[in-house]
Amino acid sequence: MLVDDAVALVPSIPGRRAVLGLAGAPAAGKSTLARRLVSGVDARLGADTAAYVPMDGFHLSNAQLDRLGLRGRKGAPETFDVDGYVHLLRRLRDAPPERPVYVPDFDRRLEEPVAAGLVVLPQVRLVVTEGNYLADDGPGWEQVRALLDELWYVDTPRQVRERRLLRRHVRGGRSESEARAFIAASERPNARRVERGRDRANRIVVPGRQL
């Protein structure tokens, strides 16, 4: 089971935290799986053994996207602060765990990052991080893979993902036609790019079958 394998990572990295990454296309179920793994590890080994750190907290704000002319490409690799994400991974992985580390979250209702929305406490021994581009080899992103002790690719059929994306964007305020247009223009190309990194993962995970 996936929780068993996540638990096994905890004592396997002496002297520092272990970092497990979950990659996959938009709406593959990465955040749901990450939270379930954190809950499962904590249930086995005690509260605050694991912590959840989403890459989505490093979305550029809508104001910055507007400044850069990238609002219509939101979710593409260039719409994230990859250097900030890499710096955080290094800090969580290698720095002595003496104080809490506050990390950004992402509010899907606001469609904006939220500073210090989450915290990694000093006693945390496993960080579960997830995002589209953890297996990407583009500028900046190519540093991420080496900072992950394991990388799992969450593989969900396109039809399922796009149904989820449609619901997500409609709830976020787009009309159905606007949501479909955004999926075709942005989400689908992003998914194709994500899929190119599939072979860099240690394992392929099909949600619902292995937890």
Side-chain angles (χ1 to χ4, degrees):
M1 290 176 61
L2 297 180
V3 171
D4 295 328
D5 294 335
V7 166
L9 280 174
V10 172
S12 67
I13 314 294
R16 65 168 176 82
R17 294 185 177 103
V19 184
L20 169 62
L22 306 178
K30 301 179 295 296
S31 60
T32 298
L33 176 58
R35 290 186 177 98
R36 288 179 178 173
L37 290 172
V38 168
S39 295
V41 170
D42 284 353
R44 302 273 189 91
L45 301 179
D48 299 319
T49 300
Y52 169 55
V53 174
M55 186 198 84
D56 275 358
F58 290 88
H59 269 285
L60 297 181
S61 69
N62 289 332
Q64 294 303 322
L65 294 176
D66 288 339
R67 181 182 67 84
L68 295 166
L70 292 172
R71 186 73 169 265
R73 291 286 294 128
K74 189 168 187 172
E78 63 271 23
T79 66
F80 290 87
D81 175 15
V82 61
D83 295 323
Y85 180 60
V86 167
H87 176 77
L88 175 65
L89 290 180
R90 288 194 176 120
R91 183 181 176 196
L92 291 172
R93 173 187 164 104
D94 297 327
E98 297 170 351
R99 296 190 302 276
V101 177
Y102 295 95
V103 302
D105 198 3
F106 187 76
D107 189 324
R108 292 201 178 277
R109 293 168 300 175
L110 300 175
E111 282 291 305
E112 290 276 16
V114 179
L118 299 168
V119 62
V120 177
L121 297 171
Q123 64 266 35
V124 166
R125 298 165 65 196
L126 173 68
V127 170
V128 182
T129 186
E130 55 83 16
N132 294 349
Y133 303 112
L134 273 58
D136 198 85
D137 60 357
W141 297 104
E142 85 285 356
Q143 303 175 70
V144 173
R145 181 64 187 88
L147 297 172
L148 306 175
D149 296 296
E150 283 201 15
L151 175 62
W152 300 352
Y153 185 91
V154 183
D155 196 9
T156 301
R158 174 181 148 183
Q159 296 89 337
V160 175
R161 291 189 292 97
E162 292 196 356
R163 283 199 300 270
R164 293 173 179 170
L165 287 168
L166 183 61
R167 289 195 299 268
R168 178 185 296 175
H169 291 309
V170 169
R171 284 198 303 265
R174 288 185 169 96
S175 69
E176 183 171 333
S177 61
E178 289 170 338
R180 290 187 186 277
F182 185 77
I183 290 167
S186 185
E187 303 278 24
R188 204 170 288 160
N190 293 343
R192 287 196 291 267
R193 174 159 177 167
V194 171
E195 288 162 0
R196 295 205 301 265
R198 192 176 188 273
D199 292 342
R200 299 187 186 97
N202 298 99
R203 71 190 298 170
I204 308 300
V205 175
V206 178
R209 295 186 184 176
Q210 297 159 287
L211 196 61

